Amino acid sequence: MYLGLDLSTQQLKGIVLDTKTLEPVAQCHVDFEDDLPQFKTEKGVFHSTSVAGEINAPVAMWGAAVDLLLERLAKEITLGDITFVSGSCQQHGSVYLNSSYKEGLASLDKHKDMTSAVSSLLALPVSPNWQDASTEKECAQFEAAVGGPEKLAEITGSRAHTRFTGPQILKVKERNPKVYAATSRVQLISNFLASLFAGKPCPFDLADACGMNLWDIQTGQWCPKLTDLITDETHSVESLLGPVETDPKALLGSISPYFVSKGFSPSCQVAQFTGDNPGTMLALPLQANDVIVSLGTSTTALVVTNKYMPDPGYHVFNHPMEGYMGMLCYCNGGLAREKISDKLGGWDDFNKAAETTDTVSKDNVYVGIYFPLREILPRAGPFERRFIYNKKTEKLSEVPSPEESQNTEQNTNSWPPNMDAAAIIQSQALSIKMRLQRMMHGDIGKVYFVGGASVNTTICSGMSAILQPTKGAWRCGLEMANACAIGSAHHAWLCDPNKSGQVKVHEEEVKYKQVDVDELLKAFKLAENACTDI
Ligand code: XUL
């Protein structure tokens, strides 16, 4: 059996697949807030009360979660039947290891549990979380070091982002020098978790290293101008970061004795662990230009690309197997739609409104932009803004919301109350379409909808009408709520030299109506420009 792990913000999930059929035989999860209340996190993290935007997670909690997950899995399967293990972990978070980490990793089995074993390895008990926004100053230093955001994106695949690991390490170096002095090695969450399973320090995974703002994607090396920011006379690049494994199928070794004592076979092999977004790419059999739209709390669009086309407006990583992947990450996804649904009276009314309202009329195009949180793509908000574009004059005018409008009589310049449902679905998809066009060569192939809101056919149809995939739109439903854990189990399978079987997708085609995408894109671009402050 293959074990795939997903260490996400709020949970640790494990899925076990049969080696022949690749169908799930067991799945379990541990919820950090509910199952591990002793760590006192709120949805898996701590929000600092003293440093603005600082968000951390306790590292030992993940050790406790591993023990509990395996205890739960052992009730459903024989752990000794697992032949390969892999994992996908929340991206960007860094783990600061102390000077005895090598011996510590080699002797995890001396500890009675993984909580104390993990604690014994750390120079800093917490890991900066991807939701952290406390490193604006360090981001400016990163962009300045190479000559601006475009240049940084060209080198590392992304402009500087507060959650990215390089700016986070610089923050520890500059604002917490005692911890930095006590740190011998910094890992990502992915190679840290892999190191626990392998019982030795593991290299970075290539795809996940691209989320650090430190790795030069084209030369395949750490970028010296950037690593110079975080190293000093006692922390060389080699000792602080260590190597990056560039072969995604390279195995890390046999599972550590700690896990053998829990019932694993000593011959169980540890494959590389990667980030959750690269891991999700392996859940489905994607071809170049196929897109995964993950509809969760946030929305992410993931695409397989053959060509490296960096831009400060999105992320490019090495694909977890070969080539590249592009990623768009929006924080206004599910919650923004839910706000409109609440206003319209619930999901049935939202869906009906979306299905029965046209955003393109004979004269006008209606575009709404809904950012209840400050958005990453583009950096704008928080606000809700509504625009009407006149097709003849090609002019855009901003209009008040139906609630603000004094105008009780509907006229050509007012926003119909039911318009918001269709407009939010479309503007989220238009933003993806516009940015994908810059990132991809050619048209979108297949679109797969995964994540919680992929069960809503109206949302999937509305988005598909904008994305217009040439090879169809597909919904993978609730099964793919676990896409990330499934992706890591597939990674384990890909690394098995004796593998058989093939990935099967239980997909359902999404039907959609034709809309005038060109007019909508024209209006959307003008509306987004009117809203963007940077
Ligand atoms: C991606 C990102 C999140 C995390 C947590 O850049 O920050 O998707 O990986 O899921």
Side-chain angles (χ1 to χ4, degrees):
M1 296 189 234
Y2 301 120
L3 170 61
L5 299 167
D6 166 15
L7 174 51
S8 65
T9 316
Q10 304 189 49
Q11 292 186 338
L12 174 67
K13 291 185 195 129
I15 192 156
V16 179
L17 302 186
D18 179 87
T19 44
K20 300 245 155 40
T21 63
L22 294 183
E23 294 289 345
V25 287
Q27 38 190 316
C28 293
H29 72 270
V30 171
D31 186 279
F32 300 146
E33 191 180 311
D34 294 345
D35 291 320
L36 302 170
Q38 66 274 33
F39 291 96
K40 300 190 172 61
T41 63
E42 202 183 309
K43 299 188 188 295
V45 293
F46 302 133
H47 292 254
S48 167
T49 46
S50 52
V51 182
E54 186 173 274
I55 303 183
N56 287 311
V59 182
M61 175 180 77
W62 299 329
V66 167
D67 279 344
L68 188 53
L69 185 90
L70 296 181
E71 218 179 274
R72 290 180 177 172
L73 271 182
K75 292 195 180 121
E76 296 192 30
I77 54 149
T78 304
L79 295 180
D81 291 342
I82 295 170
T83 47
F84 291 84
V85 53
S86 179
S88 306
C89 306
Q90 48 180 299
Q91 294 197 262
H92 319 297
S94 36
V95 180
Y96 298 77
L97 301 178
N98 61 28
S99 57
S100 59
Y101 75 92
K102 280 188 195 147
E103 306 84 79
L105 283 168
S107 56
L108 294 170
D109 54 331
K110 298 219 166 54
H111 294 265
K112 66 173 192 338
D113 56 44
M114 197 46 99
T115 315
S116 61
V118 168
S119 298
S120 75
L121 302 169
L122 304 175
L124 182 65
V126 293
S127 168
N129 182 261
W130 65 275
Q131 299 167 95
D132 183 284
S134 67
T135 60
E136 298 249 341
K137 180 174 145 278
E138 288 79 5
C139 284
Q141 286 171 262
F142 265 68
E143 292 185 346
V146 291
E150 281 79 18
K151 196 70 199 152
L152 188 61
E154 194 184 310
I155 299 169
T156 69
S158 301
R159 68 173 297 181
H161 291 275
T162 51
R163 65 192 194 283
F164 273 47
T165 324
Q168 290 289 346
I169 301 175
L170 182 57
K171 176 183 162 196
V172 173
K173 180 183 170 192
E174 293 193 337
R175 301 195 223 171
N176 212 341
K178 275 203 189 125
V179 165
Y180 189 70
T183 299
S184 289
R185 178 113 178 223
V186 180
Q187 294 193 311
L188 282 171
I189 301 172
S190 56
N191 60 331
F192 174 67
L193 192 61
S195 301
L196 297 180
F197 276 85
K200 62 179 181 192
C202 293
F204 290 102
D205 163 77
L206 180 61
D208 212 16
C210 300
M212 299 176 81
N213 275 146
L214 289 169
W215 181 252
D216 185 327
I217 295 185
Q218 288 176 96
T219 64
Q221 281 168 356
W222 297 115
C223 170
K225 282 188 190 156
L226 297 168
T227 51
D228 279 354
L229 291 169
I230 58 160
T231 52
D232 61 17
E233 50 293 340
T234 53
H235 296 87
S236 67
V237 182
E238 294 71 35
S239 67
L240 186 70
L241 299 175
V244 174
E245 175 55 71
T246 53
D247 174 5
K249 289 193 186 164
L251 291 167
L252 299 170
S254 307
I255 201 155
S256 90
Y258 179 88
F259 294 97
V260 176
S261 76
K262 300 277 170 196
F264 277 83
S265 154
S267 62
C268 173
Q269 292 295 304
V270 182
Q272 281 182 78
F273 287 31
T274 185
D276 55 355
N277 294 298
T280 301
M281 298 297 279
L282 301 178
L284 292 158
L286 303 178
Q287 307 288 323
N289 291 351
D290 287 351
V291 177
I292 296 182
V293 177
S294 173
L295 299 170
T297 310
S298 60
T299 298
T300 52
L302 305 166
V303 60
V304 183
T305 60
N306 290 329
K307 216 170 152 210
Y308 183 64
M309 308 237 277
D311 183 287
Y314 50 76
H315 308 289
V316 186
F317 304 145
N318 275 104
H319 182 277
M321 281 296 142
E322 62 178 332
Y324 303 97
M325 59 176 276
M327 181 174 83
L328 303 170
C329 182
Y330 299 91
C331 57
N332 290 293
L335 295 179
R337 289 188 301 269
E338 200 171 309
K339 220 171 146 234
I340 305 288
S341 136
D342 288 346
K343 193 181 76 173
L344 295 177
W347 286 112
D348 287 344
D349 294 311
F350 175 96
N351 292 346
K352 199 159 155 228
E355 283 162 23
T356 54
T357 315
D358 287 327
T359 50
V360 184
S361 68
K362 189 164 94 12
D363 302 319
N364 291 328
V365 181
Y366 296 78
V367 177
I369 299 189
Y370 307 84
F371 293 164
L373 294 175
R374 183 160 173 80
E375 184 49 69
I376 307 171
L377 283 182
R379 293 179 188 203
F383 55 62
E384 271 187 12
R385 294 174 70 172
R386 296 166 178 81
F387 299 88
I388 299 179
Y389 170 78
N390 185 294
K391 289 190 203 167
K392 272 198 213 86
T393 62
E394 301 197 343
K395 289 264 169 349
L396 185 78
S397 44
E398 184 159 9
V399 293
S401 68
E403 299 81 59
E404 290 159 349
S405 173
Q406 303 298 322
N407 225 343
T408 42
E409 251 177 62
Q410 203 169 303
N411 58 43
T412 48
N413 283 325
S414 70
W415 185 270
N418 270 349
M419 187 61 76
D420 282 331
I424 190 168
I425 296 173
Q426 288 192 345
S427 68
Q428 291 185 345
L430 285 161
S431 176
I432 294 175
K433 170 116 175 164
M434 185 176 87
R435 292 181 164 83
L436 283 180
Q437 279 177 343
R438 271 194 274 158
M439 197 191 291
M440 290 171 39
H441 247 3
D443 296 328
I444 298 175
K446 280 187 170 187
V447 169
Y448 290 101
F449 292 98
V450 304
S454 62
V455 293
N456 184 320
T457 27
T458 308
I459 295 176
C460 296
S461 307
M463 291 189 124
S464 306
I466 300 293
L467 297 173
Q468 294 186 315
T470 52
K471 295 182 185 157
W474 309 86
R475 221 153 63 92
C476 304
L478 277 179
E479 175 207 348
M480 276 293 158
N482 283 337
C484 182
I486 293 175
S488 45
H490 288 166
H491 190 182
W493 164 70
L494 286 163
C495 294
D496 179 355
N498 301 316
K499 66 176 167 298
S500 57
Q502 60 182 43
V503 170
K504 283 184 221 81
V505 188
H506 304 282
E507 59 189 18
E508 180 195 315
E509 186 156 11
V510 177
K511 302 270 184 267
Y512 57 90
K513 287 198 298 208
Q514 291 302 322
V515 295
D516 192 339
V517 182
D518 292 339
E519 287 289 1
L520 277 160
L521 263 178
K522 225 190 282 173
F524 177 76
K525 282 180 188 167
L526 288 174
E528 208 193 69
N529 277 342
C531 292
T532 308
D533 43 53
I534 301 176

